[in-house]
Each structure stands twice: as C-alpha cells, then as structure tokens.
Amino acid sequence: MKQNHPCIVLVDDDQCLTSILELVMAKEGYDLVVVHDGINGLKKIRESHPDLAILDAMLPGLDGRDLCRMLKGDPKTANIPLIMFSCLMDLDTVENDLPADAFITKPAPVTHLLETIRDSLARV
C-alpha cells in the first residue's frame, strides 16, 4: 500500500475519535485507513503493510496488546512502526511488556500524536 503519502492504519473502536483523526491526518498529508476491531486490524495490516500503525489497547475481537505482540513477532510485519494509543495504559507497565515503538496515553493533544508519528516514520 505504498503511495505518495505515508499510509497509516488506525485500529480503534472509538468512532468519534477516528472521525476526527481522519480529518486531521488528511490535512497533514497522511492516508489513513481506519479499522474498528483487532481481527480486521490484523488482517488489514498484514495485507496492506502500511508505513505505520496506531493501535488502541482495548479492542473488540482481538485485544490491541495481543495485536501488537503478533505484529512485532511476525517477520513480515515486525518492521512496521507501532504506536499504542490508549487511555487504559499504565506507561511504566506497558513499555516493559509490549514491543511497540511508542506509547501515547489518551487523551493526548493531537500535536503530540502527530509529533510521535513523524518521529516514528523518520526512524524507519
């Protein structure tokens, strides 16, 4: 799914948040693909191989933390930068427990999310 604009898959079941982020990401020049559950998130990330993925921790179907571990444990998707983006995270605990590239606790200013996305993409 490589295009002129970086492609980001957002896996989050909060439809209000995803609607806002679709507008913000389009304005910033990112192609955002939104998926609302972990099982379809896994499928979409594996088939499209995006430039970056943002995962909520609590998802229907497949927990976002398990999704993170599965993606980082698969050689075909291990190099995709993953940002965990959730209100349920105790950062001290999850940073040691999850192989994500970055962690953001909701609510976070959109500027912080965009900065983390830019930093994660620059490291690839």
Side-chain angles (χ1 to χ4, degrees):
M1 186 177 260
K2 300 296 177 195
Q3 299 151 351
N4 295 335
H5 303 286
C7 179
I8 297 172
V9 172
L10 170 63
V11 187
D12 198 307
D13 60 341
D14 182 337
Q15 297 207 8
C16 182
L17 174 68
T18 58
S19 294
I20 292 168
L21 289 179
E22 283 178 308
L23 296 171
V24 170
M25 296 298 179
K27 184 178 178 195
E28 292 294 318
Y30 297 116
D31 292 324
L32 186 68
V33 176
V34 176
V35 184
H36 295 288
D37 67 83
I39 292 170
N40 286 315
L42 178 63
K43 180 193 260 184
K44 179 56 78 176
I45 292 167
R46 282 183 171 163
E47 75 185 22
S48 66
H49 203 80
D51 297 293
L52 181 137
I54 302 169
L55 312 175
D56 188 10
M58 295 283 292
L59 294 167
L62 176 64
D63 186 77
R65 294 163 288 201
D66 292 333
L67 176 56
C68 176
R69 289 182 193 100
M70 291 171 78
L71 291 168
K72 285 301 187 178
D74 181 345
K76 294 177 183 173
T77 56
N79 65 329
I80 298 171
L82 298 180
I83 298 173
M84 294 299 300
F85 185 49
S86 180
C87 62
L88 300 175
M89 292 189 303
D90 170 9
L91 289 181
D92 292 334
T93 303
V94 291
E95 285 186 30
N96 295 323
D97 187 44
L98 291 176
D101 298 284
F103 301 88
I104 300 175
T105 301
K106 294 178 192 175
V110 119
T111 54
H112 179 56
L113 177 60
L114 291 172
E115 181 180 302
T116 304
I117 290 169
R118 283 191 290 274
D119 289 349
S120 296
L121 289 172
R123 282 188 237 133
V124 177

